[in-house]
Amino acid sequence: MINISKKFRDRKCSLSKEVYDSNYLTSSGAITRSNEALEEEQLENILKQSEFSLPISVKKFYQQVTELSLNWEIVNERHRNGIEREAIFKRDIWIKQNLLDKDYSWEAVRILLSGSLNIPEFKNLIDIEFIKATGMYAAATKVGLTAGSLLPLDTNEFAIACMKHEDGELIDNIYLYTGFGEFPVKLHDMGITFEKYLDLAYKAKCFNYWNLVYCLRDKAPNYELMKRFFPVIFPHIEPDLEEFGITY
């Protein structure tokens, strides 16, 4: 398993640092609560009591950190020179023609031009009420599965990454469920492990709906947005997006 803090939170060489170094973003950095991470014996006792089995990668994750939450967005007038920096996007011709002129509000565009990764703490991962609150408890039945058999791993407004729970075992393969809002109901088999999911999230810098771009490539509604504005937002980073069907 990758070193979560080094990959996402370290002040010198992580995604949090890359976000901080962008002239266009604001973020509080990655939240991990690593000081509260579960000890191996403690985690094993919880699993035994709940008759629940985890893949090695997920175990190693929760032995490093309690959760992993990282969110970033474009600066605005509340930030120093924010109006000028925000204008790079707000006045962009492509955004105007393809989004603002098609009844998208600027706030909606700002959401599309944001980034997020939200891996819940372990107790929520196996909590029925939490699963119901994300909408995934009932959503599983819409794709022919038993209610509660899809556990939400990375929550977003309209697309949720999840893993299948079968006979008390969490299967190390990531699926992406769409079906909220105007998104069509579908369970995309991403065909990747939990550790690979984290690696891809890092490469995409958690750009909003990066996982949908991974599944659909240029058919994803946000593909062109990500392709055009990734290098604008992260001019100091050499893009590594070939696995998303994006090359420059």
Side-chain angles (χ1 to χ4, degrees):
M1 166 56 68
I2 60 176
N3 185 314
I4 302 300
S5 292
K6 186 173 182 180
K7 197 86 167 178
F8 291 94
R9 192 173 186 275
D10 191 279
R11 292 179 180 273
K12 295 181 179 179
C13 57
S14 70
L15 178 52
S16 292
K17 177 68 163 56
E18 292 170 342
V19 169
Y20 177 80
D21 286 345
S22 170
N23 189 44
Y24 302 108
L25 302 181
T26 179
S27 172
S28 298
I31 297 171
T32 60
R33 292 163 56 203
S34 56
N35 60 319
E36 301 173 37
L38 296 167
E39 297 288 344
E40 182 176 2
E41 184 177 353
Q42 184 182 10
L43 179 57
E44 291 297 341
N45 287 336
I46 295 172
L47 293 173
K48 185 176 181 179
Q49 291 171 11
S50 58
E51 297 182 338
F52 200 89
S53 177
L54 292 178
I56 294 296
S57 60
V58 180
K59 284 184 182 181
K60 295 296 184 184
F61 174 85
Y62 285 114
Q63 287 168 21
Q64 289 187 53
V65 297
T66 301
E67 62 178 313
L68 177 56
S69 176
L70 193 156
N71 296 276
W72 54 259
E73 61 180 14
I74 301 296
V75 296
N76 57 23
E77 71 278 358
R78 296 193 303 272
H79 302 90
R80 184 172 58 85
N81 298 325
I83 293 176
E84 293 84 355
R85 290 187 285 164
E86 183 184 41
I88 296 293
F89 307 92
K90 200 170 186 178
R91 297 173 185 171
D92 182 84
I93 296 299
W94 188 91
I95 286 180
K96 181 180 184 302
Q97 292 177 344
N98 291 275
L99 297 172
L100 297 176
D101 287 353
K102 295 184 178 179
D103 296 327
Y104 280 78
S105 68
W106 172 240
E107 284 308 308
V109 175
R110 281 180 56 84
I111 292 172
L112 293 175
L113 286 171
S114 66
S116 70
L117 180 67
N118 299 290
I119 311 294
E121 54 185 298
F122 177 66
K123 69 177 184 179
N124 287 336
L125 185 67
I126 61 174
D127 181 71
I128 292 297
E129 294 307 314
F130 174 80
I131 298 170
K132 287 180 177 178
T134 66
M136 286 308 301
Y137 185 86
T141 64
K142 296 180 180 180
V143 290
L145 300 174
T146 304
S149 61
L150 289 175
L151 304 192
L153 190 72
D154 180 16
T155 56
N156 202 321
E157 188 175 11
F158 298 127
I160 295 183
C162 47
M163 299 174 81
K164 285 184 178 180
H165 177 226
E166 299 177 352
D167 300 321
E169 181 179 0
L170 197 63
I171 309 302
D172 196 7
N173 185 70
I174 306 295
Y175 294 84
L176 185 68
Y177 175 85
T178 58
F180 303 110
E182 298 180 359
F183 279 51
V185 175
K186 187 165 179 117
L187 187 65
H188 303 272
D189 183 352
M190 296 186 70
I192 56 175
T193 63
F194 175 59
E195 185 170 8
K196 181 62 177 178
Y197 185 87
L198 295 175
D199 178 60
L200 289 172
Y202 172 77
K203 289 180 178 179
K205 311 309 172 193
C206 302
F207 203 109
N208 219 354
Y209 299 113
W210 65 266
N211 41 23
L212 191 59
V213 173
Y214 181 81
C215 291
L216 301 180
R217 301 300 196 270
D218 60 356
K219 301 297 188 298
N222 55 318
Y223 170 88
E224 193 63 31
L225 192 75
M226 181 173 168
K227 181 177 181 178
R228 284 176 177 271
F229 293 99
F230 185 99
V232 177
I233 294 171
F234 297 103
H236 53 301
I237 296 171
E238 185 69 30
D240 183 10
L241 302 175
E242 290 186 9
E243 290 172 280
F244 303 88
I246 296 175
T247 55
Y248 296 97

